Amino acid sequence: MSELISEQILARLKKEAGETGRPEQRLATLERLVEACNAVADGSALSLMQKGNPAAEAHFRRRWVSIVPPRIEDYVIARRALDLLARAQN
């Protein structure tokens, strides 16, 4: 089975991140980006929006949500809000 272009790009980015300064931080950023893209692609981001970024929820109700910077930003805002809420409750 052939590797997807996105997998090739990610592999290249991870390789480059490992060869530059602060590889741990760069790799962690890439992992967060992959998490966000996967959540948008598989539809699981909708429940996150409902809890952490209701203003953006409408963008995630469609059957297909494009993986574009504004949707990734919506995901990041929701994830940050829920993480802050969880920390405040502990």
Side-chain angles (χ1 to χ4, degrees):
M1 183 173 178
S2 65
E3 188 175 37
L4 295 174
I5 291 174
S6 59
E7 292 170 343
Q8 294 171 1
I9 293 169
L10 181 59
R12 189 189 82 233
L13 289 172
K14 284 182 175 183
K15 181 180 182 288
E16 291 172 4
E19 296 170 350
T20 61
R22 301 176 39 204
E24 297 83 15
Q25 289 88 352
R26 293 175 191 276
L27 290 169
T29 298
L30 287 172
E31 290 305 317
R32 288 190 301 274
L33 178 60
V34 168
E35 176 188 325
C37 290
N38 287 341
V40 171
D42 70 16
S44 64
L46 175 60
S47 65
L48 190 75
M49 292 306 116
Q50 293 167 336
K51 299 172 191 168
N53 190 1
E57 180 184 350
H59 297 293
F60 292 84
R61 287 189 191 147
R62 291 174 272 153
R63 182 174 178 177
W64 299 105
V65 179
S66 297
I67 300 174
V68 294
R71 298 303 71 86
I72 299 302
E73 182 178 9
D74 290 338
Y75 180 89
V76 169
I77 290 168
R79 175 92 263 156
R80 185 178 300 137
L82 291 176
D83 288 348
L84 287 172
L85 182 63
R87 277 189 231 141
Q89 292 176 347
N90 289 330

Coordinates of all heavy atoms in Angstrom, one line a residue:
M1 N 0.8 -1.2 0.0 CA 0.0 0.0 0.0 C 0.9 1.2 0.0 O 1.9 1.3 0.7 CB -0.9 0.0 1.2 CG -1.9 1.1 1.3 SD -3.0 0.8 2.7 CE -3.9 2.3 2.6
S2 N 0.6 2.2 -0.8 CA 1.4 3.4 -0.9 C 1.1 4.3 0.2 O 0.0 4.4 0.7 CB 1.2 4.1 -2.3 OG -0.1 4.6 -2.4
E3 N 2.1 5.1 0.6 CA 2.0 6.0 1.6 C 1.3 7.3 1.1 O 1.6 7.7 0.0 CB 3.5 6.4 2.1 CG 3.5 7.2 3.4 CD 4.9 7.4 3.8 OE1 5.8 7.5 3.0 OE2 5.1 7.4 5.0
L4 N 0.4 7.8 1.9 CA -0.3 9.1 1.6 C 0.7 10.2 1.5 O 1.7 10.2 2.2 CB -1.3 9.4 2.6 CG -2.5 8.4 2.7 CD1 -3.4 8.8 3.8 CD2 -3.3 8.4 1.4
I5 N 0.4 11.2 0.7 CA 1.3 12.4 0.6 C 1.4 13.1 2.0 O 2.5 13.5 2.4 CB 0.7 13.4 -0.4 CG1 0.9 12.7 -1.8 CG2 1.5 14.7 -0.4 CD1 0.3 13.6 -2.9
S6 N 0.3 13.1 2.7 CA 0.3 13.7 4.0 C 1.3 13.0 5.0 O 1.9 13.6 5.8 CB -1.1 13.8 4.6 OG -1.6 12.5 4.8
E7 N 1.3 11.7 4.9 CA 2.2 10.9 5.7 C 3.7 11.2 5.3 O 4.6 11.2 6.1 CB 1.9 9.4 5.6 CG 0.6 9.0 6.2 CD 0.2 7.6 5.9 OE1 0.7 7.0 4.9 OE2 -0.7 7.1 6.6
Q8 N 3.9 11.3 4.0 CA 5.3 11.7 3.5 C 5.7 13.0 4.1 O 6.8 13.2 4.5 CB 5.3 11.7 2.0 CG 5.1 10.3 1.4 CD 5.0 10.3 -0.1 OE1 5.0 11.4 -0.7 NE2 4.8 9.2 -0.7
I9 N 4.8 14.0 4.0 CA 5.1 15.3 4.5 C 5.4 15.3 6.0 O 6.3 15.9 6.4 CB 4.0 16.3 4.1 CG1 3.9 16.5 2.6 CG2 4.1 17.7 4.8 CD1 2.6 17.3 2.1
L10 N 4.5 14.6 6.7 CA 4.7 14.5 8.2 C 6.1 13.9 8.5 O 6.8 14.4 9.4 CB 3.6 13.8 8.8 CG 3.6 13.7 10.3 CD1 3.7 15.1 11.0 CD2 2.5 12.9 10.9
A11 N 6.4 12.8 7.8 CA 7.7 12.2 8.0 C 8.8 13.1 7.8 O 9.8 13.2 8.6 CB 7.8 10.9 7.2
R12 N 8.7 13.9 6.7 CA 9.8 14.9 6.4 C 9.9 16.0 7.5 O 11.0 16.3 7.9 CB 9.6 15.5 5.0 CG 10.7 16.4 4.6 CD 10.4 17.2 3.3 NE 9.7 18.4 3.8 CZ 8.6 18.8 3.3 NH1 8.0 18.1 2.3 NH2 8.0 19.9 3.7
L13 N 8.7 16.5 7.9 CA 8.7 17.5 8.9 C 9.3 17.0 10.3 O 10.0 17.7 10.9 CB 7.3 18.0 9.2 CG 6.7 18.9 8.0 CD1 5.2 19.1 8.3 CD2 7.5 20.2 7.9
K14 N 8.9 15.7 10.6 CA 9.5 15.2 11.8 C 11.0 15.0 11.7 O 11.7 15.3 12.7 CB 8.8 13.8 12.1 CG 7.4 13.9 12.7 CD 6.8 12.6 13.0 CE 5.5 12.7 13.6 NZ 4.9 11.4 14.0
K15 N 11.5 14.6 10.6 CA 12.9 14.4 10.4 C 13.6 15.8 10.5 O 14.6 15.9 11.2 CB 13.2 13.8 9.0 CG 14.6 13.6 8.7 CD 14.8 13.0 7.3 CE 16.2 12.7 7.0 NZ 17.0 13.9 6.7
E16 N 13.1 16.8 9.9 CA 13.6 18.1 10.0 C 13.6 18.6 11.4 O 14.5 19.3 11.8 CB 12.9 19.1 9.0 CG 13.2 18.8 7.5 CD 12.3 19.6 6.6 OE1 11.6 20.5 7.0 OE2 12.4 19.3 5.4
A17 N 12.5 18.4 12.1 CA 12.4 18.9 13.5 C 13.4 18.2 14.4 O 14.0 18.9 15.3 CB 11.0 18.6 14.0
G18 N 13.7 17.0 14.1 CA 14.7 16.3 14.9 C 16.1 16.7 14.7 O 17.0 16.5 15.5
E19 N 16.3 17.4 13.5 CA 17.7 17.9 13.2 C 17.9 19.3 13.5 O 19.0 19.9 13.2 CB 17.9 17.7 11.7 CG 17.9 16.2 11.3 CD 17.8 16.0 9.8 OE1 17.6 17.0 9.0 OE2 18.0 14.8 9.3
T20 N 16.9 20.0 14.1 CA 17.1 21.4 14.4 C 17.1 21.7 15.9 O 17.0 20.7 16.7 CB 15.9 22.2 13.8 OG1 14.7 21.8 14.4 CG2 15.8 22.1 12.3
G21 N 17.3 22.9 16.3 CA 17.3 23.2 17.7 C 16.0 23.0 18.3 O 14.9 23.1 17.6
R22 N 15.9 22.6 19.5 CA 14.7 22.3 20.3 C 13.8 21.3 19.7 O 12.6 21.5 19.4 CB 13.9 23.6 20.5 CG 14.7 24.6 21.3 CD 14.0 26.0 21.4 NE 12.6 25.8 21.7 CZ 11.7 26.7 21.4 NH1 12.0 27.8 20.9 NH2 10.4 26.5 21.7
P23 N 14.4 20.1 19.3 CA 13.6 19.1 18.6 C 12.4 18.6 19.4 O 11.3 18.3 18.8 CB 14.6 17.9 18.4 CG 15.7 18.1 19.4 CD 15.7 19.6 19.6
E24 N 12.5 18.5 20.8 CA 11.3 18.0 21.5 C 10.1 19.0 21.4 O 9.0 18.5 21.2 CB 11.7 17.9 23.0 CG 12.8 17.0 23.3 CD 14.2 17.5 23.2 OE1 14.3 18.8 23.0 OE2 15.1 16.7 23.1
Q25 N 10.4 20.3 21.4 CA 9.2 21.2 21.3 C 8.7 21.2 19.9 O 7.4 21.2 19.7 CB 9.7 22.7 21.6 CG 10.0 22.9 23.1 CD 11.5 22.5 23.4 OE1 12.2 22.0 22.7 NE2 11.8 22.9 24.7
R26 N 9.5 21.1 18.9 CA 9.0 21.0 17.5 C 8.2 19.8 17.2 O 7.2 19.8 16.6 CB 10.2 21.2 16.5 CG 10.9 22.5 16.6 CD 12.1 22.6 15.7 NE 12.9 23.8 16.0 CZ 12.6 25.0 15.5 NH1 11.6 25.2 14.6 NH2 13.4 26.0 15.8
L27 N 8.7 18.7 17.7 CA 8.0 17.4 17.6 C 6.7 17.4 18.3 O 5.6 16.9 17.8 CB 8.8 16.2 18.0 CG 10.0 15.9 17.1 CD1 11.0 14.9 17.8 CD2 9.6 15.4 15.8
A28 N 6.6 18.0 19.5 CA 5.4 18.1 20.2 C 4.4 19.0 19.5 O 3.2 18.7 19.4 CB 5.6 18.7 21.6
T29 N 4.8 20.0 18.9 CA 4.0 20.9 18.1 C 3.4 20.1 16.9 O 2.2 20.2 16.6 CB 4.7 22.1 17.5 OG1 5.2 22.9 18.7 CG2 3.9 23.0 16.6
L30 N 4.2 19.3 16.2 CA 3.7 18.5 15.1 C 2.7 17.5 15.6 O 1.7 17.3 14.9 CB 4.9 17.8 14.4 CG 5.8 18.7 13.6 CD1 7.0 17.9 13.1 CD2 5.0 19.2 12.4
E31 N 2.9 16.9 16.8 CA 1.9 15.9 17.3 C 0.6 16.6 17.6 O -0.5 16.0 17.3 CB 2.5 15.2 18.5 CG 3.6 14.3 18.2 CD 3.3 13.2 17.2 OE1 2.1 12.7 17.2 OE2 4.1 13.0 16.3
R32 N 0.6 17.8 18.1 CA -0.6 18.6 18.4 C -1.3 18.9 17.1 O -2.6 18.8 17.0 CB -0.3 19.8 19.2 CG 0.0 19.5 20.7 CD 0.1 20.8 21.5 NE 1.0 21.8 21.0 CZ 2.3 21.8 21.3 NH1 2.8 20.9 22.1 NH2 3.1 22.8 20.9
L33 N -0.6 19.2 16.0 CA -1.2 19.5 14.7 C -1.8 18.3 14.2 O -2.9 18.3 13.7 CB -0.1 20.0 13.8 CG -0.6 20.3 12.4 CD1 -1.7 21.4 12.3 CD2 0.6 20.8 11.5
V34 N -1.2 17.1 14.3 CA -1.7 15.9 13.8 C -3.0 15.6 14.6 O -4.0 15.2 14.0 CB -0.7 14.7 14.0 CG1 -1.4 13.4 13.8 CG2 0.4 14.9 13.0
E35 N -3.0 15.8 15.9 CA -4.2 15.5 16.7 C -5.4 16.4 16.2 O -6.5 15.9 16.1 CB -3.9 15.8 18.2 CG -5.1 15.7 19.1 CD -4.8 16.2 20.5 OE1 -3.7 16.0 21.0 OE2 -5.8 16.8 21.1
A36 N -5.1 17.7 16.0 CA -6.1 18.6 15.5 C -6.7 18.2 14.2 O -7.9 18.1 14.0 CB -5.6 20.0 15.5
C37 N -5.8 17.9 13.2 CA -6.2 17.5 11.9 C -7.0 16.2 11.9 O -8.1 16.1 11.3 CB -5.0 17.3 11.0 SG -4.1 18.8 10.6
N38 N -6.6 15.2 12.7 CA -7.3 14.0 12.8 C -8.7 14.2 13.4 O -9.7 13.6 13.0 CB -6.6 13.0 13.6 CG -5.4 12.4 12.9 OD1 -5.3 12.5 11.7 ND2 -4.4 11.8 13.6
A39 N -8.8 15.1 14.4 CA -10.1 15.3 15.1 C -11.1 16.0 14.1 O -12.3 15.7 14.1 CB -9.9 16.2 16.3
V40 N -10.5 17.0 13.3 CA -11.4 17.6 12.3 C -11.8 16.6 11.3 O -13.0 16.6 10.9 CB -10.6 18.8 11.7 CG1 -11.4 19.4 10.5 CG2 -10.4 19.9 12.7
A41 N -10.9 15.8 10.8 CA -11.2 14.8 9.7 C -12.2 13.8 10.2 O -13.0 13.4 9.4 CB -9.9 14.2 9.3
D42 N -12.0 13.3 11.4 CA -12.9 12.2 11.8 C -14.2 12.6 12.5 O -15.0 11.8 12.9 CB -12.2 11.1 12.7 CG -11.8 11.6 14.1 OD1 -12.4 12.7 14.5 OD2 -10.9 11.0 14.7
G43 N -14.4 13.9 12.6 CA -15.6 14.4 13.2 C -15.7 14.6 14.7 O -16.6 15.1 15.2
S44 N -14.6 14.1 15.4 CA -14.7 14.2 16.8 C -14.5 15.6 17.4 O -14.7 15.8 18.5 CB -13.6 13.2 17.4 OG -12.3 13.6 17.1
A45 N -14.1 16.5 16.5 CA -13.9 17.9 16.9 C -15.2 18.6 17.3 O -15.2 19.5 18.1 CB -13.2 18.7 15.9
L46 N -16.3 18.1 16.7 CA -17.6 18.7 17.0 C -17.9 18.7 18.5 O -18.3 19.7 19.1 CB -18.7 18.0 16.3 CG -20.1 18.5 16.6 CD1 -20.3 19.9 16.2 CD2 -21.2 17.7 15.8
S47 N -17.7 17.6 19.2 CA -18.0 17.5 20.6 C -17.1 18.4 21.4 O -17.5 19.1 22.4 CB -18.0 16.1 21.2 OG -16.7 15.6 21.1
L48 N -15.9 18.6 21.0 CA -14.9 19.5 21.6 C -15.4 20.9 21.4 O -15.3 21.7 22.4 CB -13.5 19.3 21.0 CG -12.4 20.0 21.7 CD1 -12.0 19.2 23.0 CD2 -11.2 20.1 20.8
M49 N -15.9 21.3 20.2 CA -16.4 22.6 20.0 C -17.6 22.9 20.9 O -17.7 24.0 21.4 CB -16.8 22.8 18.5 CG -15.8 22.7 17.5 SD -14.4 23.9 17.8 CE -13.1 22.8 18.1
Q50 N -18.5 22.0 21.0 CA -19.7 22.2 21.9 C -19.3 22.5 23.3 O -20.0 23.3 23.9 CB -20.6 20.9 21.8 CG -21.2 20.7 20.4 CD -21.8 19.3 20.3 OE1 -21.4 18.4 21.0 NE2 -22.7 19.2 19.4
K51 N -18.2 22.0 23.8 CA -17.8 22.2 25.2 C -16.9 23.4 25.3 O -16.9 24.1 26.3 CB -17.1 21.0 25.7 CG -18.0 19.7 25.7 CD -17.2 18.5 26.1 CE -18.0 17.2 25.9 NZ -17.2 16.1 26.0
G52 N -15.9 23.5 24.3 CA -14.8 24.5 24.5 C -14.8 25.7 23.6 O -14.1 26.7 23.9
N53 N -15.6 25.7 22.5 CA -15.6 26.8 21.6 C -17.0 26.8 20.9 O -17.0 26.7 19.7 CB -14.4 26.7 20.6 CG -14.2 27.9 19.8 OD1 -14.9 28.9 19.9 ND2 -13.3 27.9 18.9
P54 N -18.0 27.1 21.6 CA -19.4 27.0 21.0 C -19.6 28.0 19.8 O -20.4 27.7 18.9 CB -20.3 27.3 22.1 CG -19.5 27.3 23.4 CD -18.1 27.3 23.0
A55 N -18.8 29.1 19.8 CA -19.0 30.0 18.7 C -18.6 29.4 17.4 O -19.0 29.9 16.4 CB -18.1 31.3 19.0
A56 N -17.7 28.4 17.4 CA -17.2 27.8 16.2 C -17.9 26.5 15.9 O -17.7 25.9 14.8 CB -15.7 27.5 16.3
E57 N -18.9 26.1 16.7 CA -19.5 24.8 16.5 C -20.2 24.7 15.2 O -20.1 23.6 14.5 CB -20.6 24.6 17.6 CG -21.3 23.3 17.5 CD -22.4 23.2 18.6 OE1 -22.5 24.1 19.5 OE2 -23.2 22.3 18.5
A58 N -20.8 25.7 14.6 CA -21.5 25.6 13.3 C -20.6 25.1 12.2 O -21.0 24.5 11.3 CB -22.1 27.0 13.0
H59 N -19.3 25.5 12.3 CA -18.4 25.1 11.2 C -18.1 23.6 11.2 O -17.6 23.0 10.2 CB -17.0 25.8 11.4 CG -17.1 27.3 11.3 ND1 -17.4 27.9 10.1 CD2 -16.9 28.3 12.2 CE1 -17.3 29.2 10.3 NE2 -17.0 29.4 11.5
F60 N -18.4 22.9 12.3 CA -18.1 21.5 12.5 C -19.3 20.6 12.3 O -19.2 19.4 12.5 CB -17.4 21.3 13.8 CG -16.0 21.9 13.9 CD1 -15.9 23.2 14.2 CD2 -14.9 21.1 13.5 CE1 -14.6 23.8 14.2 CE2 -13.7 21.7 13.6 CZ -13.5 23.1 13.9
R61 N -20.5 21.2 12.0 CA -21.7 20.4 11.9 C -21.9 19.8 10.5 O -22.7 18.9 10.3 CB -22.9 21.3 12.2 CG -23.1 21.6 13.6 CD -24.4 22.3 13.9 NE -24.4 22.8 15.2 CZ -25.1 23.9 15.5 NH1 -25.8 24.6 14.6 NH2 -25.1 24.4 16.7
R62 N -21.1 20.3 9.5 CA -21.2 19.7 8.2 C -20.7 18.3 8.1 O -19.8 17.9 8.9 CB -20.5 20.6 7.2 CG -21.2 22.0 7.0 CD -20.4 22.9 6.2 NE -19.5 23.6 7.2 CZ -18.3 24.1 6.8 NH1 -17.8 24.0 5.6 NH2 -17.6 24.7 7.8
R63 N -21.1 17.6 7.1 CA -20.6 16.2 6.9 C -19.1 16.2 6.7 O -18.4 15.4 7.2 CB -21.3 15.5 5.8 CG -20.9 14.1 5.6 CD -21.8 13.5 4.6 NE -21.3 12.1 4.4 CZ -21.8 11.2 3.6 NH1 -22.9 11.5 2.9 NH2 -21.3 10.0 3.5
W64 N -18.6 17.1 5.9 CA -17.2 17.2 5.6 C -16.7 18.5 6.0 O -17.2 19.5 5.6 CB -16.9 17.0 4.1 CG -17.4 15.7 3.6 CD1 -18.5 15.5 2.8 CD2 -16.7 14.4 3.8 NE1 -18.6 14.1 2.5 CE2 -17.5 13.5 3.1 CE3 -15.6 14.0 4.5 CZ2 -17.2 12.1 3.1 CZ3 -15.3 12.6 4.4 CH2 -16.1 11.7 3.8
V65 N -15.7 18.5 6.9 CA -15.1 19.8 7.4 C -13.7 19.9 6.8 O -12.9 18.9 6.9 CB -15.0 19.8 8.9 CG1 -14.4 21.1 9.4 CG2 -16.4 19.7 9.5
S66 N -13.4 20.9 6.1 CA -12.1 21.1 5.5 C -11.1 21.3 6.6 O -11.3 22.0 7.5 CB -12.1 22.3 4.5 OG -13.0 22.1 3.5
I67 N -9.9 20.7 6.3 CA -8.8 20.9 7.2 C -8.0 22.1 6.7 O -7.2 22.0 5.9 CB -7.9 19.7 7.3 CG1 -8.7 18.5 7.8 CG2 -6.7 19.9 8.2 CD1 -8.0 17.2 7.8
V68 N -8.4 23.3 7.3 CA -7.9 24.6 6.9 C -7.5 25.3 8.1 O -8.0 25.0 9.2 CB -8.9 25.4 6.0 CG1 -9.1 24.7 4.7 CG2 -10.1 25.6 6.8
P69 N -6.5 26.3 8.0 CA -6.1 27.0 9.2 C -7.2 27.5 10.2 O -7.1 27.3 11.4 CB -5.2 28.1 8.7 CG -4.6 27.5 7.4 CD -5.8 26.7 6.8
P70 N -8.3 28.1 9.7 CA -9.3 28.6 10.6 C -9.9 27.5 11.4 O -10.2 27.7 12.6 CB -10.3 29.3 9.7 CG -9.6 29.6 8.5 CD -8.6 28.5 8.3
R71 N -10.1 26.3 10.9 CA -10.7 25.2 11.6 C -9.7 24.6 12.6 O -10.1 24.2 13.7 CB -11.2 24.0 10.7 CG -12.3 24.4 9.7 CD -13.6 25.0 10.3 NE -13.5 26.3 10.9 CZ -13.7 27.4 10.2 NH1 -13.9 27.4 8.9 NH2 -13.6 28.6 10.8
I72 N -8.4 24.6 12.3 CA -7.4 24.1 13.2 C -7.3 25.1 14.4 O -7.2 24.7 15.5 CB -6.0 24.0 12.5 CG1 -6.1 23.0 11.4 CG2 -4.9 23.7 13.5 CD1 -6.5 21.6 11.8
E73 N -7.4 26.4 14.1 CA -7.4 27.4 15.1 C -8.6 27.3 16.0 O -8.5 27.4 17.3 CB -7.4 28.8 14.5 CG -7.3 29.9 15.6 CD -7.3 31.3 15.0 OE1 -7.5 31.5 13.7 OE2 -7.1 32.3 15.7
D74 N -9.8 27.0 15.5 CA -11.0 26.7 16.3 C -10.7 25.6 17.3 O -11.1 25.6 18.4 CB -12.2 26.4 15.4 CG -12.7 27.6 14.6 OD1 -12.5 28.7 15.0 OD2 -13.4 27.3 13.6
Y75 N -10.1 24.5 16.7 CA -9.8 23.3 17.6 C -8.8 23.7 18.7 O -9.0 23.3 19.8 CB -9.2 22.2 16.7 CG -8.9 21.0 17.5 CD1 -9.8 20.0 17.7 CD2 -7.6 20.9 18.1 CE1 -9.5 18.9 18.4 CE2 -7.3 19.7 18.8 CZ -8.2 18.7 19.0 OH -7.9 17.6 19.7
V76 N -7.8 24.5 18.3 CA -6.8 24.9 19.3 C -7.5 25.7 20.4 O -7.2 25.5 21.6 CB -5.6 25.6 18.7 CG1 -4.7 26.3 19.7 CG2 -4.8 24.7 17.8
I77 N -8.3 26.6 20.1 CA -9.0 27.5 21.1 C -9.9 26.6 22.0 O -9.9 26.8 23.2 CB -9.9 28.5 20.3 CG1 -9.0 29.6 19.7 CG2 -10.9 29.2 21.3 CD1 -9.7 30.5 18.7
A78 N -10.6 25.7 21.4 CA -11.5 24.8 22.2 C -10.6 23.9 23.1 O -10.9 23.7 24.3 CB -12.3 23.9 21.3
R79 N -9.6 23.3 22.6 CA -8.7 22.5 23.4 C -8.1 23.2 24.6 O -8.0 22.8 25.7 CB -7.6 21.9 22.5 CG -6.5 21.1 23.2 CD -6.9 19.6 23.2 NE -7.5 19.3 24.4 CZ -8.4 18.3 24.6 NH1 -8.7 17.5 23.7 NH2 -8.9 18.1 25.8
R80 N -7.6 24.5 24.3 CA -7.0 25.3 25.3 C -8.0 25.6 26.4 O -7.7 25.6 27.6 CB -6.5 26.6 24.7 CG -5.7 27.5 25.7 CD -5.1 28.7 25.1 NE -4.2 28.3 24.0 CZ -4.1 28.9 22.8 NH1 -4.9 29.9 22.5 NH2 -3.2 28.5 22.0
A81 N -9.2 26.0 26.0 CA -10.3 26.3 27.0 C -10.6 25.1 27.9 O -10.7 25.3 29.1 CB -11.6 26.8 26.2
L82 N -10.7 23.9 27.3 CA -11.0 22.8 28.1 C -9.8 22.4 29.0 O -10.1 21.9 30.1 CB -11.4 21.6 27.2 CG -12.7 21.8 26.5 CD1 -13.0 20.6 25.5 CD2 -13.9 21.9 27.5
D83 N -8.6 22.5 28.5 CA -7.5 22.3 29.3 C -7.4 23.2 30.5 O -7.1 22.8 31.7 CB -6.2 22.4 28.5 CG -6.0 21.2 27.6 OD1 -6.7 20.2 27.7 OD2 -5.1 21.3 26.7
L84 N -7.7 24.5 30.3 CA -7.7 25.5 31.4 C -8.8 25.2 32.4 O -8.6 25.3 33.6 CB -7.9 26.9 30.8 CG -6.7 27.5 30.1 CD1 -7.0 28.8 29.5 CD2 -5.5 27.7 31.1
L85 N -9.9 24.8 31.9 CA -11.1 24.4 32.8 C -10.7 23.2 33.6 O -10.9 23.2 34.9 CB -12.3 24.1 32.0 CG -13.6 23.8 32.7 CD1 -14.0 24.9 33.6 CD2 -14.7 23.4 31.8
A86 N -10.1 22.2 33.0 CA -9.7 21.0 33.8 C -8.6 21.4 34.9 O -8.7 20.8 36.0 CB -9.1 20.0 32.8
R87 N -7.7 22.2 34.5 CA -6.7 22.6 35.5 C -7.3 23.4 36.7 O -6.9 23.2 37.8 CB -5.6 23.5 34.9 CG -4.6 22.6 34.2 CD -3.4 23.5 33.7 NE -3.2 23.2 32.3 CZ -2.9 24.0 31.4 NH1 -2.7 25.3 31.7 NH2 -2.7 23.6 30.2
A88 N -8.3 24.2 36.4 CA -9.0 25.0 37.4 C -9.8 24.2 38.3 O -9.9 24.5 39.5 CB -9.9 26.1 36.8
Q89 N -10.3 23.0 37.8 CA -11.1 22.1 38.7 C -10.2 21.2 39.6 O -10.7 20.7 40.5 CB -12.0 21.3 37.8 CG -13.1 22.1 37.1 CD -13.9 21.3 36.2 OE1 -13.6 20.2 35.8 NE2 -15.0 21.9 35.7
N90 N -9.0 21.1 39.2 CA -8.1 20.3 40.0 C -7.4 21.0 41.2 O -7.3 22.0 41.5 CB -7.0 19.6 39.2 CG -7.6 18.6 38.3 OD1 -8.5 18.0 38.6 ND2 -7.0 18.4 37.1

